[in-house]
Amino acid sequence: MHSTSASSADRNKTTKIISWSLRSLAAAAFLAAGSAKLAGVPMMVAIFDQIGAGQWFRILTGAVEITGAIALLIPATAAFGAWLLTLTMVFAILTHLFVIGGSPVPAIILLLITGSIAWLHRRAFAAILDAIR
């Protein structure tokens, strides 16, 4: 019986390590991407010109990415950040496929990472939704 609780504790520790690793990786990627958008890096300006929604959309997207990245680093808000960034990557993939072209692979990889984080924190996200209701 004792080995079952030890096994459960080991699984919990492993899950925490995986979660923290994925959250750190995703946060670094989204902080970099969001900062580039907010800083007006010429490549980002050109991409958002190609999208055609206006530069306000670049600023909004950068702010969403930075907000999501920060949320990933705070355990209490990691689930919210993961879902926010997962949704952002779904739209990034669709934008690559149907509007601007180019490879959607980086967005797909980030979708898999943020989706995994969202799945790992699904209970916390459910608790957030219950608290809102």
Side-chain angles (χ1 to χ4, degrees):
M1 188 139 218
H2 179 67
S3 65
T4 304
S5 62
S7 175
S8 177
D10 288 345
R11 247 191 324 267
N12 192 28
K13 184 177 179 181
T14 301
T15 300
K16 285 182 180 183
I17 292 169
I18 291 169
S19 171
W20 181 247
S21 299
L22 291 174
R23 290 185 301 144
S24 298
L25 178 66
F30 283 105
L31 284 171
S35 295
K37 288 173 180 76
L38 292 179
V41 170
M43 181 182 84
M44 292 297 175
V45 171
I47 289 171
F48 280 83
D49 275 343
Q50 193 176 357
I51 291 171
Q55 292 302 309
W56 68 269
F57 189 58
R58 171 182 53 83
I59 294 166
L60 175 66
T61 303
V64 165
E65 289 177 346
I66 289 175
T67 300
I70 293 168
L72 286 177
L73 296 174
I74 302 167
T77 59
F80 170 76
W83 279 106
L84 178 66
L85 294 171
T86 296
L87 183 61
T88 301
M89 288 302 95
V90 167
F91 284 106
I93 292 165
L94 293 173
T95 301
H96 276 284
L97 292 175
F98 299 111
V99 180
I100 63 174
S103 176
V105 171
I108 291 169
I109 291 169
L110 287 170
L111 171 69
L112 292 172
I113 292 170
T114 57
S116 296
I117 297 165
W119 184 81
L120 288 171
H121 294 270
R122 64 194 178 279
R123 287 183 186 95
F125 191 71
I128 291 169
L129 291 179
D130 286 343
I132 292 172
R133 291 182 208 168

